[in-house]
Amino acid sequence: MIITKSWLNEWIDIEDKSGEELAKTFNAIGLEVDRHEVYTVPKKIVIGKILSCEKHPDADKLNVCQVDIGTATRQIVCGAANVRADIYVAVATIGAEMPNGMKIKPVQLRGIESIGMICSSTELGLAKLEEGIMILDESIGELKPGAELCENPYLNDELIELELTANRGDCLSINGVARDLSAAYDIELKERKKSVPEEKQIGIGRILHLNHTQQSDVNLMYKAFKKNDFELPLLLRLRMSMLEEECQSAIDALLFYATYSSGVILRAYGYKAFPMQLEKAQITLDKDANGYAIITGKEKASTVGIIQYPSSRITPEDEIVVIEASYIHPDTISRKMGEHKIENGPLFYRTSRGSEPYLEFGLEYCQELLRSYAQTEVFGGSLELRTPHEELVLHMSIEGISDIIGMDVHKAQVTQLLKNLGFNILKSQAGQIVVGVPQFRHDITHIQDIVEEIVRLVGIDNIPSKPYAFTEKPHHNDASIFFNKRKHYRQRAADCGFFESVQFVFNEKAKLKGFGFDLIDERLDLLNPIAGTLDTLRPTLLVGLLEAASSNSKAGRKQVPLFEVGSVFDTQRNETIKMAFIFSGQESAESIENHGKPAMIGFEKFVQKISNIIGDFELRPVELSHTLAHPYQCAQIVADEKPIGTLFKLHPGIQNEYDLESTCLCELEFDALFYDLCIAKPSSKYQSSSRDLSIVIPKSLRYTELKEVIQAAQSPEVVRFYPIDTYESEALGEQMSLTLRFMLQSEQKTLEEEDITSSMNSIVAALNEKLGIALR
């Protein structure tokens, strides 16, 4: 990226900064300086006006000119083909020393005295602009004969070439570089004048129409002007020569200059390249077979952001020129080029690195140049097509930024830096900043990227050295959390003696229907099942585990503990994750302790095994819709007052059908299982006490009802309670005796007998009042 000091000064006030200081600043803020050159016109070279130009009487290729140099009129013999009267030129006066070491003296050329020399750009040490002498114009300032050119800021300039990293496409323009300097020096960018519509200006809608038939990922804006032949002014030609850029026409050169200055991608079309309808040229935005956005006219005009085709270029017959400003996200265009590579043009490099998205700004700047240098008529208004852009918003804390950088930074400093860089400060309050990332900074996606911007502008050398400190939080996401949770519960199941079973997500429809499970809606079911016995997506993990347990039992396994974590589907084919268990056969291995005859798995033992894996839970009565469960040994699993699954003993009929011994199953909602940090609770240092309470209750009373009454009446000293014994007899009839054990403990003192008795009495009173229950 090549810039000059005078060019930058048009965008930001750096008049008091030297080229060396600018180069040092660029290096400090991460824009590496690759080259720094100084252009200086020698002294005694002044502005001159050619008053007359006549042929040399004795030489066909020489002209005798009378030149006004302010203090006098000098006769100078010149051999340049483009010399003529009434133009301003650079005149080396007597005593001037040229860059090549030649000193100017009075000479005789074919008998005619010549006092001085009319100079070309190369003779002044500048780049070659044209054949012959350098003709001056007011683009470099007021032309006053006799004024020393060594004092002109445009001809005496400093060139700096920057080596940009691939992610800094926002600095591929004078505007972008000035924006970074604005943040580095805390100087506001110069405000650019907006074009004022002229009276009786013809609107662009009367000559041009933009058609688009489908959603696109590009932004477009169009203006038009009447073509007027003009010469590119000296200042623009001088800067273009420094860039070593050659263009086919003055219009192409002016558009390139506007693009290079503003950062907005601009291109020009000939008006006659587009078909006419209702006296309007029709521009059509479409997509080609590879998904590229294309502009079509009578023929294919361009691929947006990539290349313009010859058929749409300006021709001598065009009286109107259409200017297009475009923006497409660099990731989008790079991805498409990676998938389907096509021929590209000179603007593709800028588009793929990231251009300015503010199209109106670029067109306004171009319009300003046209009116200044081409004196052309610009049509009023513009045509535009915008793709909605969702601004990326990042929430940051000043403390967090300071921790990452390793030094304290002030909120006001951070806010001002980001504002100067073009970021939107959406909210700023007590140590917090909410930042909107501008569209031209596609490289900013995380808080760390913004911290990097702050660091490069604060200056890496200004940050004190410190030992490493790990302050960044882990980058967890839903996928990693699910993976770790699944790993955690698989490991716990394995630790408790279960083996993992992995089944297809398909089941046999007839079998599921026979068991009473809800099947997937026929309209959403599988069209091409992989087998006749796997003809639908499974609504449960239980059937697969049941078949796996049966196979293991038939193979001689006396104990079959299996589990699976996998996907199931409801009637609308919505997917959820469940975890299921089956335990069939002996509850433990044969050993001397059980005399080689271990008991079969029972409901209570299976509940304990599941609790060892998922933690504490409660069992509540439930009626299941399927027929796998034993009607009198099934329950709903409730944790933190939320149902998370079911647990049951296998129905005896199905148990016999599958040749299984005593079998229990459980199916859980995997998302409902606890997976978070365990928070330690305070533990009292005082001695705990226990009291047993035997009460007579109806056999029909649910334990949950009893529990709710006790919890409502218990004092803070009751830590927990649980049943320890039941007793039934003919004398009790439809009632039974239940013994509960209460653990009591205080955090302030050792409980005395009176405290314990008071707590127990309040519970007994509540049971009697609410449920009519008395002590045995």
Side-chain angles (χ1 to χ4, degrees):
M1 176 67 193
I2 294 175
I3 58 172
T4 70
K5 182 183 173 182
S6 67
W7 204 346
L8 267 178
N9 199 57
E10 293 177 6
W11 295 79
I12 181 173
D13 187 4
I14 53 168
E15 192 68 42
D16 60 339
K17 312 291 183 184
S18 67
E20 290 184 358
E21 185 179 350
L22 288 173
K24 185 177 179 180
T25 301
F26 282 132
N27 282 321
I29 64 175
L31 305 180
E32 183 181 347
V33 174
D34 195 47
R35 177 165 57 111
H36 177 207
E37 295 181 6
V38 179
Y39 291 89
T40 305
V41 176
K43 293 181 178 181
K44 296 189 177 182
I45 297 178
V46 301
I47 296 174
K49 181 179 181 180
I50 300 179
L51 302 176
S52 65
C53 179
E54 297 178 356
K55 285 291 183 182
H56 192 290
D58 198 24
D60 293 338
K61 294 184 179 181
L62 295 179
N63 295 281
V64 180
C65 303
Q66 302 299 320
V67 184
D68 178 8
I69 60 170
T71 57
T73 298
R74 295 282 186 258
Q75 178 174 280
I76 301 175
V77 177
C78 178
N82 62 336
V83 68
R84 61 185 184 274
D86 297 323
I87 61 173
Y88 289 87
V89 293
V91 178
T93 59
I94 302 302
E97 185 173 348
M98 305 305 289
N100 62 3
M102 179 181 71
K103 291 185 178 180
I104 303 300
K105 302 176 181 178
V107 295
Q108 293 278 333
L109 293 174
R110 294 286 184 98
I112 301 294
E113 184 179 33
S114 180
I115 307 173
M117 182 175 74
I118 301 175
C119 305
S120 67
S121 59
T122 55
E123 288 170 332
L124 296 178
L126 304 174
K128 184 176 181 179
L129 302 180
E130 55 198 322
E131 294 295 335
I133 59 174
M134 180 175 70
I135 300 174
L136 308 181
D137 59 40
E138 291 187 344
S139 65
I140 62 169
E142 182 183 359
L143 299 178
K144 186 177 179 180
E148 291 258 3
L149 286 180
C150 63
E151 297 175 359
N152 187 285
Y154 299 105
L155 299 181
N156 298 269
D157 210 349
E158 297 188 58
L159 179 147
I160 297 175
E161 184 173 0
L162 303 175
E163 187 70 31
L164 300 178
T165 54
N167 65 320
R168 292 308 306 275
D170 60 297
C171 283
L172 283 174
S173 66
I174 303 298
N175 175 32
V177 175
R179 190 165 46 217
D180 261 33
L181 280 183
S182 170
Y185 290 134
D186 194 16
I187 301 174
E188 290 188 6
L189 294 176
K190 291 183 178 180
E191 187 175 351
R192 308 210 68 82
K193 296 179 181 179
K194 287 195 173 183
S195 301
V196 179
E198 297 177 0
E199 293 184 8
K200 299 181 181 179
Q201 191 177 26
I202 301 173
I204 192 173
R206 296 176 63 179
I207 64 162
L208 203 62
H209 182 72
L210 175 60
N211 304 292
H212 58 95
T213 56
Q214 53 185 309
Q215 187 67 29
S216 181
D217 49 10
V218 300
N219 290 343
L220 296 172
M221 184 175 281
Y222 293 90
K223 278 187 175 291
F225 67 93
K226 291 186 177 180
K227 192 174 75 170
N228 181 20
D229 292 332
F230 68 96
E231 290 186 5
L232 209 63
L234 174 62
L235 179 61
L236 271 62
R237 287 187 289 119
L238 182 63
R239 289 173 176 172
M240 294 282 284
S241 68
M242 291 178 176
L243 302 178
E244 298 179 356
E245 188 69 33
E246 294 184 4
C247 296
Q248 296 180 359
S249 67
I251 291 176
D252 288 335
L254 189 141
L255 286 181
F256 177 86
Y257 183 88
T259 295
Y260 197 91
S261 296
S262 67
V264 177
I265 303 297
L266 301 170
R267 68 168 84 250
Y269 299 101
Y271 186 71
K272 293 189 175 180
F274 301 101
M276 299 297 292
Q277 184 178 341
L278 300 176
E279 299 183 350
K280 297 180 183 179
Q282 302 293 313
I283 300 176
T284 302
L285 171 66
D286 206 345
K287 285 188 177 181
D288 65 10
N290 296 325
Y292 287 101
I294 59 171
I295 300 299
T296 57
K298 294 176 180 177
E299 299 179 28
K300 189 175 179 181
S302 70
T303 302
V304 177
I306 296 179
I307 190 171
Q308 180 178 5
Y309 301 103
S311 62
S312 66
R313 296 191 180 278
I314 303 168
T315 65
E317 291 75 26
D318 286 301
E319 296 179 354
I320 297 174
V321 176
V322 178
I323 305 177
E324 173 192 86
S326 64
Y327 174 80
I328 182 169
H329 196 285
D331 291 346
T332 301
I333 199 166
S334 298
R335 183 175 63 253
K336 288 188 183 297
M337 284 294 276
E339 294 170 353
H340 305 284
K341 191 170 184 178
I342 63 173
E343 181 186 2
N344 59 72
L347 291 179
F348 169 70
Y349 175 76
R350 291 179 171 275
T351 309
S352 62
R353 291 282 296 274
S355 59
E356 288 285 333
Y358 308 127
L359 307 185
E360 185 177 5
F361 168 74
L363 285 174
E364 281 282 346
Y365 182 74
C366 180
Q367 183 173 308
E368 180 186 328
L369 294 176
L370 285 168
R371 284 182 170 155
S372 298
Y373 301 126
Q375 289 83 43
T376 185
E377 181 182 344
V378 180
F379 290 86
S382 60
L383 300 180
E384 63 179 303
L385 172 67
R386 293 191 181 276
T387 301
H389 167 68
E390 184 176 349
E391 186 177 49
L392 174 63
V393 176
L394 298 175
H395 298 254
M396 305 182 301
S397 71
I398 297 300
E399 183 181 359
I401 294 172
S402 298
D403 286 343
I404 296 173
I405 294 176
M407 65 175 285
D408 291 335
V409 292
H410 298 293
K411 191 172 98 172
Q413 181 186 16
V414 171
T415 302
Q416 190 59 44
L417 282 175
L418 295 177
K419 279 184 178 178
N420 289 340
L421 285 173
F423 288 79
N424 300 320
I425 307 301
L426 303 177
K427 186 184 290 186
S428 177
Q429 60 185 20
Q432 299 289 324
I433 302 178
V434 181
V435 177
V437 179
Q439 197 173 0
F440 59 80
R441 289 307 303 268
H442 63 93
D443 58 315
I444 304 294
T445 56
H446 298 91
I447 293 173
Q448 289 76 10
D449 297 325
I450 291 186
V451 173
E452 185 180 345
E453 293 295 294
I454 296 169
V455 168
R456 71 183 182 87
L457 290 166
V458 168
I460 193 73
D461 295 334
N462 296 324
I463 300 175
S465 299
K466 288 184 179 180
Y468 285 115
F470 295 97
T471 60
E472 185 176 353
K473 294 181 180 179
H475 290 283
H476 287 312
N477 54 36
D478 292 342
S480 67
I481 291 172
F482 172 77
F483 174 82
N484 290 329
K485 180 179 179 179
R486 184 172 180 271
K487 180 181 177 182
H488 169 76
Y489 278 101
R490 288 173 65 225
Q491 186 63 52
R492 292 197 66 163
D495 291 343
C496 291
F498 286 82
F499 295 88
E500 186 168 19
S501 175
V502 180
Q503 308 290 330
F504 285 115
V505 295
F506 310 108
N507 268 150
E508 186 177 350
K509 187 183 298 184
K511 188 174 294 184
L512 292 169
K513 188 174 182 180
F515 289 141
F517 289 100
D518 294 331
L519 302 178
I520 289 179
D521 191 311
E522 291 185 1
R523 295 170 296 178
L524 302 173
D525 212 349
L526 299 175
L527 295 178
N528 298 299
I530 60 175
T533 56
L534 300 171
D535 55 357
T536 189
L537 292 168
R538 63 186 180 187
T540 178
L541 302 177
L542 297 175
V543 175
L545 285 178
L546 185 61
E547 292 174 346
S550 176
S551 298
N552 277 274
S553 180
K554 291 174 181 177
R557 301 279 182 183
K558 295 183 179 181
Q559 185 189 66
V560 185
L562 302 175
F563 79 94
E564 182 177 5
V565 181
S567 299
V568 298
F569 302 85
D570 64 12
T571 57
Q572 298 303 309
R573 211 164 69 182
N574 297 314
E575 181 180 1
T576 55
I577 305 297
K578 291 193 176 184
M579 185 175 193
F581 301 86
I582 188 170
F583 200 116
S584 181
Q586 300 172 351
E587 68 177 30
S588 61
E590 296 175 355
S591 68
I592 195 169
E593 294 177 355
N594 53 43
H595 307 290
K597 296 180 180 179
M600 294 296 166
I601 189 70
F603 189 84
E604 297 84 357
K605 194 69 176 180
F606 185 63
V607 169
Q608 185 60 54
K609 288 181 179 292
I610 299 301
S611 178
N612 292 340
I613 297 171
I614 69 172
D616 294 339
F617 58 82
E618 295 180 18
L619 294 180
R620 294 182 183 174
V622 68
E623 292 184 5
L624 299 177
S625 59
H626 59 76
T627 60
L628 292 181
H630 193 296
Y632 304 115
Q633 296 190 58
C634 59
Q636 183 182 59
I637 299 176
V638 177
D640 295 328
E641 299 301 322
K642 295 179 181 178
I644 63 171
T646 56
L647 182 149
F648 57 87
K649 194 168 183 181
L650 186 63
H651 193 284
I654 297 175
Q655 195 169 281
N656 294 332
E657 181 183 341
Y658 278 86
D659 294 328
L660 292 170
E661 297 291 344
S662 179
T663 301
C664 294
L665 297 97
C666 171
E667 189 169 46
L668 304 165
E669 298 288 344
F670 190 73
D671 289 343
L673 295 179
F674 176 80
Y675 184 70
D676 204 345
L677 294 176
C678 293
I679 300 175
K681 297 180 180 179
S683 178
S684 175
K685 65 181 181 179
Y686 298 101
Q687 183 179 352
S688 63
S689 302
S690 65
R691 285 291 185 275
D692 292 345
L693 192 67
S694 295
I695 54 178
V696 178
I697 63 172
K699 291 181 180 179
S700 60
L701 180 67
R702 292 184 177 181
Y703 180 73
T704 52
E705 297 178 44
L706 186 69
K707 180 181 175 183
E708 289 173 359
V709 172
I710 294 174
Q711 285 178 334
Q714 72 184 27
S715 64
E717 288 76 19
V718 177
V719 178
R720 63 183 181 277
F721 63 92
Y722 48 91
I724 60 171
D725 189 29
T726 60
Y727 173 73
E728 298 180 32
S729 67
E730 291 183 7
L732 292 174
E734 293 302 315
Q735 293 185 315
M736 62 181 289
S737 173
L738 173 67
T739 301
L740 299 171
R741 177 160 293 167
F742 290 82
M743 302 301 298
L744 299 95
Q745 190 176 30
S746 171
E747 297 202 10
Q748 286 79 33
K749 64 177 183 176
T750 300
L751 293 176
E752 298 179 0
E753 187 63 30
E754 293 179 1
D755 301 320
I756 298 172
T757 302
S758 175
S759 294
M760 299 307 296
N761 287 341
S762 63
I763 293 173
V764 172
L767 289 173
N768 186 266
E769 180 184 349
K770 301 289 185 182
L771 301 175
I773 293 173
L775 294 175
R776 189 175 72 187

